[in-house]
């Protein structure tokens, strides 16, 4: 950005950068490699950030402000340099200073590793929220785990996904500060003894140490700097000397290795349950460290544990940190001597919970014997909480069925601890992430809990930060908007609405199209360089990038691609709209069908791209290793945003918002936040198709028969049969037999039911594309009317309605 907001910006001179290079990195200009310049730039910037950081902390202490704690097992933060430069307003200055040394800022930004400490939307939401809290001057801490290898790196070998460890820390991490003094003991297993005076003592069998590693989060215009505190694990004793001296050199290090294994990898499971013991250990590890840290800070500043709810708001990002409810109870009772009722009252007033999924198979629960073995004291507390909750339910005349549904303990079949019920009952607020999702929460998963606590469920539609997802990723569009309507939108994204006045201005529409064309050319260059594919930047760029999951229906898109391929070959004389179909996304390594869908995308790409009879009319590309950095390159270059989940299954989506903000039109179902995007941009500027959530539920209830649908739709049947018979997999003709048989037999995600409607919608997109002025007008309407989906608006709502800090 051209404007500078920094008061001490003179620090980022060429001399200063050189001094940092010499004294912090230990190299001179001649010896420095690009990574050294990257580190030097970050260190120099950090010095400026640190002062603001300390000012922010001192201010919060002096004001006695209430603090927000956002607990999340995932933070998908991506690269940080460009974000920090933009938010501090020193981009141009640093670029010029580096240029004096012959170093290109863009080049060093490109070698910064992408911190992929999350699976997808849930983790990216946490990152956007942290940035918005700092931008809105809210004292907030993010708490999570510093995964050494994070999310796996995806490579594509012969069309198949192959997973490799991500090594984002290979060159060290100049952003972070280890805080050895902020270390806590975390226990597992052992036994619980009742004392004569009624006190309880938990003697864990195993103890390890959590240590804080802090990363600064810079808000817009450098207003405030908050802390992302990620926990790392180590053994109490780094080496067992007795074992070492006895000659067992490896065994002497076993405790340390065991501790480190806890923070090695993120479970690659977005919407599927990870049943592993290690996952529960991770959840408790980071919950316990965070709760201990929060309570310690509160008591240090405010002395009185009973004022906790007035000074602390804890937000649980999904149920992954739900064990925090029991941990806070434990700390209040066993550590501070409160009785059960008072501890429960304080806990409930402090904690709030965000639900992210309705998929029953994704609702976390732990086998009771495992939970009890790992966390014996917490098991007692859960029983005690459950007894209180069920007594309360009885006084509210809930029936037996409702009582069973409300119980924190699943009693039918294998007994399990239900983390969603623990989070729901232990929180004063339970929110969904889009209007439809919140409504469905009330009607389905939480129907009985909602009847018992009718005021608890509320909606907070997700948002994305416009700094990263417009200003930084799309400087061309940002410059054009500034030139057209001034800078007010940069501090209030809803002011983008001023662009509405230009929607019918054809010349402006052409300028919007020219920016898009340039972004598409840049993406084409990138993909030619990295994947050796040649794309036509004048074709329609049709993009579906997100985790690979059957409910997101990449398969619907692929079957339609095959049908289109067939049509183009059968009717080469028609006026087809040239399309580039771009796919990207990771599949959980154990998710067989998702991995097969990736292979199918690559098999289709190989066949279609090498078929001269489609001319340049259709290209298919699967871009490997989808992450934040790639999203920042692809979204500004998209014409069409694919948001085609089975209605009722995508809680919100945030990719949909990023695309619209960058001027893509959405083709989508009435699901998640698509519905609210439609309400904002207008029905004429979005392409809606398919069954509604209500219709999906009704079809399922009344016996859905996909076979009949497939047999009645010639195009669909031909496409499905072509895939099933090995047209795209001649080396293994049966590869997709079962996948396609699944469509005939059950088709749980209703690909067949929505196919005809989707195809018709795609052809209507073709027609729109031919009307260039009309397309540009819709693109402008999208950009102008999605400012509401800024995470600043979302965080403002959390702050007022849930946290009480604004
Ligand atoms: C925004 C984002 C997501 C979420 O995308 P959806 O389409 O909402 O599922 C996932 N991964 C990355 C890297 C993102 O930036």
């Amino acid at each position: 950005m051209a404007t500078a907001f920094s008061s001490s910006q003179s620090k980022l001179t060429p001399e200063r950068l050189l001094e940092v290079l010499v004294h912090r990195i230990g190299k001179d200009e001649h010896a420095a490699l690009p990574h050294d310049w990257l580190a030097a730039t970050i260190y120099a910037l950090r010095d400026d950030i640190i002062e603001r950081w300390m000012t922010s902390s001192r201010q919060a202490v002096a004001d006695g402000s209430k603090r927000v704690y956002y607990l999340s097992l995932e933070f998908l933060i991506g690269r940080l340099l460009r974000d920090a430069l933009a938010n501090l307003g020193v981009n141009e200055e640093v670029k010029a200073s580096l240029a004096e040394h012959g170093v290109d800022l863009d080049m060093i930004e490109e070698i910064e590793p992408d911190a992929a400490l999350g699976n997808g939307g849930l983790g990216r939401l946490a990152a956007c929220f942290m940035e918005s809290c700092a931008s809105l001057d809210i004292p907030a801490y993010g708490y999570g785990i510093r995964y050494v290898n994070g999310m796996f790196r995806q490579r594509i070998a012969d069309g198949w996904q192959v997973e490799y460890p991500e090594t984002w820390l290979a060159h060290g991490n100049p952003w972070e500060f280890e805080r050895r003094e902020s270390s806590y003991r975390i226990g597992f297993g052992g036994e619980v003894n009742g004392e004569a005076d009624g006190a309880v003592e938990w003697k864990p069998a195993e103890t390890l140490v959590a240590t804080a590693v802090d990363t600064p989060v810079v808000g817009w215009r450098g207003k405030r700097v908050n802390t992302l505190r990620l926990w790392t694990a180590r053994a109490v004793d780094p080496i067992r000397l007795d074992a070492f001296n006895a000659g067992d050199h490896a065994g002497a290090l076993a405790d340390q290795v065991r501790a480190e294994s806890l923070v090695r990898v993120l479970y690659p499971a977005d919407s599927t349950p990870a049943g592993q013991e290690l996952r529960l250990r991770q959840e408790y590890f980071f919950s316990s460290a965070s709760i201990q840290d929060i309570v310690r800070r509160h008591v240090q500043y405010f002395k009185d544990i009973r004022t906790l709810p007035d000074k602390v708001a804890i937000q649980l990002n999904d149920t992954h940190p739900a064990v925090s409810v029991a941990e806070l109870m434990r700390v209040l009772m066993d550590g501070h001597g409160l009785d059960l009722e008072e501890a429960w009252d304080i806990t409930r007033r402090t904690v709030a919970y965000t639900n992210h999924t309705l998929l029953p198979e994704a609702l976390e629960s732990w086998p009771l014997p495992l939970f009890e073995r790992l966390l014996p004291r917490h098991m007692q507390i859960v029983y005690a909480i459950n007894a209180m909750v069920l007594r309360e339910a009885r006084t509210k005349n809930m029936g037996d069925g409702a009582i069973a549904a409300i119980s924190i303990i699943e009693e039918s079949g294998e007994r399990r601890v239900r983390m969603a019920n623990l989070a729901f009952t232990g929180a004063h607020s339970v929110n969904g992430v889009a209007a439809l999702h919140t409504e469905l929460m009330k009607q389905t998963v939480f129907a009985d809990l909602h009847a018992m606590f009718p005021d608890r469920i509320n909606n907070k539609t997700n948002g994305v930060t416009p700094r990263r997802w417009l200003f930084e990723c799309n400087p061309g569009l940002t410059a054009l908007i500034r030139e057209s309507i001034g800078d007010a939108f940069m501090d209030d994204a809803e002011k983008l609405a001023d662009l509405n006045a230009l929607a019918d201005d054809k010349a402006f529409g052409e300028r919007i199209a020219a920016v898009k064309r340039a972004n598409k050319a840049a993406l084409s260059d990138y993909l030619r360089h990295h994947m050796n594919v040649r794309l036509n930047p004048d074709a329609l760029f049709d993009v579906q990038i997100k985790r690979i999951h059957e409910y997101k229906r990449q398969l619907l898109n692929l079957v339609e691609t095959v049908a289109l391929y067939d049509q183009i070959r059968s009717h080469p004389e028609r006026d087809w709209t040239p399309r580039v179909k771009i796919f990207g996304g990771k599949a959980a390594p154990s998710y067989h069908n998702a991995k097969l869908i990736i292979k199918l995308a690559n098999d289709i790409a190989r066949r279609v791209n090498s078929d001269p009879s489609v001319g340049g009319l259709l290209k298919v590309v699967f871009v490997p290793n989808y992450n934040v950095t790639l999203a920042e390159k692809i979204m500004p270059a998209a014409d069409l945003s694919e948001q085609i989940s089975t209605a009722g299954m995508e809680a919100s989506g945030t990719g949909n918002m990023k695309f619209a903000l960058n001027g893509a039109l959405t083709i989508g179902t009435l699901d998640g936040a698509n519905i609210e995007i439609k309400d904002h941009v207008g029905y004429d500027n979005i392409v809606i198709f398919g069954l509604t959530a209500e219709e999906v539920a009704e079809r399922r209830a009344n016996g859905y028969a996909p076979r009949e649908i497939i047999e009645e739709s010639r195009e669909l049947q031909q496409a499905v049969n072509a895939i099933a018979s090995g047209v795209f997999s001649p080396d293994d003709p049966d590869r997709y037999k079962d996948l396609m048989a699944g469509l005939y037999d059950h088709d749980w995600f209703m690909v067949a039911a929505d196919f005809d409607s989707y195809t018709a919608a795609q052809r209507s997109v073709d027609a729109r594309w031919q009307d260039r002025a009309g397309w540009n007008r819709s693109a402008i309407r999208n950009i102008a009317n999605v400012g509401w989906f800024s995470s600043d608006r979302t965080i403002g709502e959390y702050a007022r309605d849930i946290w009480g800090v604004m």
Side-chain angles (χ1 to χ4, degrees):
M1 299 316 80
T3 21
F5 324 114
S6 166
S7 54
S8 47
Q9 51 177 297
S10 57
K11 283 182 175 167
L12 297 164
T13 58
E15 298 73 36
R16 170 81 184 128
L17 290 179
L18 183 62
E19 186 200 309
V20 172
L21 181 75
V22 171
H23 290 105
R24 295 273 252 296
I25 313 293
K27 291 201 181 177
D28 67 12
E29 273 176 291
H30 310 294
L33 299 172
H35 269 288
D36 301 317
W37 279 112
L38 172 65
T41 306
I42 294 172
Y43 280 125
L45 201 60
R46 227 180 63 164
D47 290 343
D48 190 24
I49 293 171
I50 289 168
E51 284 166 27
R52 294 158 189 272
W53 202 2
M54 293 192 301
T55 308
S56 299
S57 307
R58 272 197 301 268
Q59 211 171 35
V61 174
D63 302 349
S65 315
K66 185 170 185 176
R67 289 173 164 83
V68 173
Y69 297 97
Y70 197 80
L71 272 57
S72 179
L73 209 49
E74 305 187 13
F75 286 93
L76 195 54
I77 50 186
R79 290 173 175 165
L80 297 179
L81 177 57
R82 188 177 296 162
D83 201 46
L85 290 171
N87 280 6
L88 291 169
V90 295
N91 195 64
E92 297 308 315
E93 185 190 353
V94 170
K95 194 179 184 67
S97 294
L98 283 167
E100 292 274 314
H101 296 293
V103 178
D104 178 20
L105 174 59
D106 292 340
M107 185 272 292
I108 65 165
E109 282 179 347
E110 273 300 308
I111 58 173
E112 186 184 8
D114 176 294
L117 311 183
N119 275 290
L122 173 151
R124 184 54 231 174
L125 185 76
C128 283
F129 278 7
M130 290 308 298
E131 199 266 357
S132 275
C133 282
S135 296
L136 295 179
D137 205 15
I138 295 170
Y141 296 73
Y143 277 114
I145 293 180
R146 181 182 177 275
Y147 301 102
V148 173
N149 296 110
M151 180 64 177
F152 66 83
R153 169 189 295 273
Q154 178 195 58
R155 293 219 180 116
I156 301 297
D158 187 31
W160 295 99
Q161 167 175 297
V162 188
E163 302 96 25
Y164 291 86
E166 183 61 79
T167 54
W168 68 294
L169 294 171
H171 289 269
N173 180 1
W175 288 113
E176 64 185 25
F177 294 80
E178 193 178 30
R179 307 290 195 195
R180 282 272 165 163
E181 71 283 8
S182 295
S183 291
Y184 300 92
R185 291 187 167 229
I186 314 294
F188 291 101
E191 52 190 56
V192 182
N193 300 312
E195 306 289 308
D197 62 356
V200 170
E201 196 195 8
W202 173 27
K203 286 211 178 88
E206 186 189 337
T207 301
L208 46 84
V209 178
T211 297
V213 180
D214 289 350
T215 301
V217 180
V218 184
W220 176 234
R221 297 202 191 277
K223 212 178 270 175
R224 177 179 193 90
V225 181
N226 279 332
T227 302
L228 174 60
R229 174 158 279 194
L230 301 178
W231 299 104
T232 187
R234 60 188 168 84
V236 176
D237 298 310
I239 181 167
R240 289 205 354 246
L241 276 181
D242 52 347
F244 191 86
N245 292 336
D248 183 7
H249 301 152
L253 300 172
D255 287 354
Q256 182 63 15
V257 170
R258 196 172 155 76
E260 283 171 3
S261 71
L262 199 84
V263 295
R264 267 276 160 188
V265 292
L266 165 72
Y267 269 93
D270 197 28
S271 302
T272 46
Q276 294 81 349
E277 175 174 337
L278 182 62
R279 171 76 171 199
L280 179 55
R281 283 178 178 264
Q282 286 183 330
E283 292 182 358
Y284 179 66
F285 167 79
F286 109 98
S287 294
S288 174
S290 306
I291 293 293
Q292 291 187 61
D293 199 39
I294 291 165
V295 170
R296 179 210 39 86
R297 188 175 298 111
H298 175 77
V299 172
Q300 179 188 335
Y301 293 136
F302 300 103
K303 313 296 179 219
D304 182 0
I305 190 67
R306 291 182 168 82
T307 60
L308 193 76
D310 306 326
K311 297 296 178 187
V312 168
I314 296 174
Q315 190 70 39
L316 309 179
N317 194 24
D318 212 328
T319 54
H320 315 146
V323 70
S324 297
V325 168
E327 175 67 359
L328 181 55
M329 291 288 288
R330 183 186 73 85
V331 169
L332 293 176
M333 294 195 299
D334 301 354
H336 291 266
L338 301 188
D339 67 22
L340 180 70
E341 275 78 18
E342 192 175 15
W344 186 231
D345 177 61
I346 289 175
T347 297
R348 276 185 167 187
R349 288 196 289 131
T350 305
V351 174
Y353 154 56
T354 303
N355 173 273
H356 284 274
T357 179
L358 304 169
L359 304 183
E361 70 272 22
L363 286 177
E364 275 190 309
S365 69
W366 297 105
L368 205 129
L370 168 65
F371 195 93
E372 182 153 38
R373 173 165 58 76
L374 226 49
L375 302 168
R377 176 58 181 143
H378 299 78
M379 191 69 247
Q380 293 179 339
I381 291 171
V382 166
Y383 278 127
I385 293 172
N386 202 35
M388 283 190 294
V389 170
L390 297 186
R391 249 183 274 127
E392 197 177 336
R394 285 283 178 213
T395 65
K396 292 183 179 176
N397 291 318
M398 309 295 291
D400 285 345
I403 297 267
I406 286 165
S407 176
I408 301 168
I409 312 288
E410 160 97 66
E411 297 283 1
S412 62
E414 183 197 24
R415 298 180 78 209
R416 303 177 76 95
V417 183
R418 293 166 166 161
M419 303 311 273
N421 292 37
L422 178 61
F424 193 114
T425 55
H428 62 92
S429 160
V430 176
N431 74 282
V433 289
L436 173 68
H437 168 232
T438 300
E439 204 38 53
L440 293 174
M441 273 167 68
K442 293 179 184 174
Q443 292 169 17
T444 62
V445 273
F446 294 132
D448 293 296
L449 280 161
H450 175 57
M452 184 168 165
F453 305 106
D455 300 328
R456 196 161 292 184
I457 295 183
N458 63 91
N459 179 245
K460 297 287 168 280
T461 299
N462 283 167
V464 300
T465 167
R467 272 74 66 183
R468 183 177 291 261
W469 296 111
L470 177 59
F471 310 167
E472 293 157 34
C473 74
N474 202 341
L477 181 57
T478 305
L480 176 57
I481 299 172
R482 292 176 74 177
E483 192 190 313
S484 313
I485 61 169
D487 287 356
F489 76 97
M490 300 190 83
D491 293 286
D492 175 2
E494 293 187 53
K495 297 239 163 71
L496 283 166
D498 292 349
L499 285 172
N500 280 311
L502 295 167
D504 294 316
D505 180 334
K506 284 205 173 139
F508 183 70
E510 282 304 320
R511 296 188 71 190
I512 288 282
V515 168
K516 182 67 80 182
R517 173 71 171 62
N519 292 339
K520 289 161 71 177
L523 179 65
S524 302
D525 282 348
Y526 178 86
L527 294 178
R528 181 166 42 77
H529 187 242
H530 286 87
M531 296 182 64
N532 198 26
V533 291
R534 279 172 196 280
L535 305 180
N536 169 15
D538 291 314
L540 188 161
F541 278 26
D542 169 345
V543 183
Q544 188 171 20
I545 46 175
K546 48 181 76 235
R547 293 301 312 260
I548 309 295
H549 200 293
E550 285 163 288
Y551 86 79
K552 292 178 181 278
R553 295 201 294 191
Q554 283 90 358
L555 195 52
L556 175 60
N557 192 346
L558 288 169
V559 172
E560 205 279 325
T561 302
V562 168
L564 175 61
Y565 172 56
D566 212 35
Q567 290 288 308
I568 293 175
R569 285 194 307 171
S570 310
H571 304 284
E573 76 290 353
R574 284 191 196 158
D575 184 19
W576 296 103
T577 293
R579 277 200 194 226
V580 176
K581 287 252 177 199
I582 298 175
F583 293 86
K586 294 174 182 174
S590 60
Y591 190 168
H592 176 261
N593 278 359
K595 293 181 111 170
L596 202 54
I597 287 167
I598 292 175
K599 175 63 172 163
L600 177 59
N602 283 297
D603 276 347
I604 292 172
R606 189 178 47 191
R607 170 80 195 247
V608 170
N609 297 352
S610 64
D611 186 340
S613 69
V614 297
L617 293 175
L618 182 61
K619 274 260 172 4
V620 181
V621 186
F622 186 94
V623 186
N625 202 39
Y626 178 53
N627 59 14
V628 170
T629 300
L630 261 179
E632 289 167 359
K633 294 183 196 304
I634 297 175
M635 284 172 175
D639 296 305
L640 189 65
S641 156
E642 297 270 356
Q643 307 301 336
I644 60 177
S645 51
T646 314
M649 304 199 79
E650 185 75 87
S652 166
T654 49
N656 46 6
M657 302 167 188
K658 301 168 197 166
F659 278 107
L661 188 59
N662 284 278
L665 273 62
T666 302
I667 182 167
T669 47
L670 288 173
D671 198 16
N674 295 352
I675 297 171
E676 289 153 87
I677 291 176
K678 172 200 60 119
D679 293 341
H680 279 82
V681 305
Y683 199 82
D684 293 343
N685 301 303
I686 187 167
V687 182
I688 297 292
F689 72 93
L691 300 174
T692 62
E694 217 169 316
E695 289 164 349
V696 167
E698 188 188 281
R699 289 267 191 127
R700 282 190 182 148
N702 298 334
Y704 170 55
R707 181 174 298 275
E708 289 165 26
I709 300 174
I710 296 172
E711 284 168 358
E712 274 167 28
S713 166
R714 218 170 65 94
E715 265 192 71
L716 173 59
Q717 191 174 22
Q718 279 179 358
V720 169
N721 291 353
I723 296 169
S725 66
V727 167
F728 298 92
S729 52
D731 54 323
D732 177 8
D734 286 346
R735 181 174 294 142
Y736 303 111
K737 220 172 108 199
D738 291 349
L739 192 66
M740 294 300 108
L743 294 184
Y744 274 101
D745 293 343
H746 51 82
D747 186 23
W748 182 248
F749 300 96
M750 306 227 159
V751 168
D754 276 345
F755 180 82
D756 281 354
S757 165
Y758 180 56
T759 306
Q762 288 288 22
R763 298 296 73 80
S764 84
V765 168
D766 289 345
R768 275 174 192 251
W769 184 255
Q770 304 301 333
D771 169 15
R772 194 174 159 94
W775 186 281
N776 294 343
R777 186 187 334 110
S778 286
I780 296 168
R781 291 283 184 198
N782 272 269
I783 302 164
N785 294 298
V786 294
W788 187 80
F789 297 92
S790 163
S791 45
D792 293 352
R793 188 269 314 154
T794 313
I795 285 297
E797 293 179 6
Y798 276 88
R800 269 189 308 277
D801 305 345
I802 302 178
W803 304 332
V805 295
M806 256 175 103

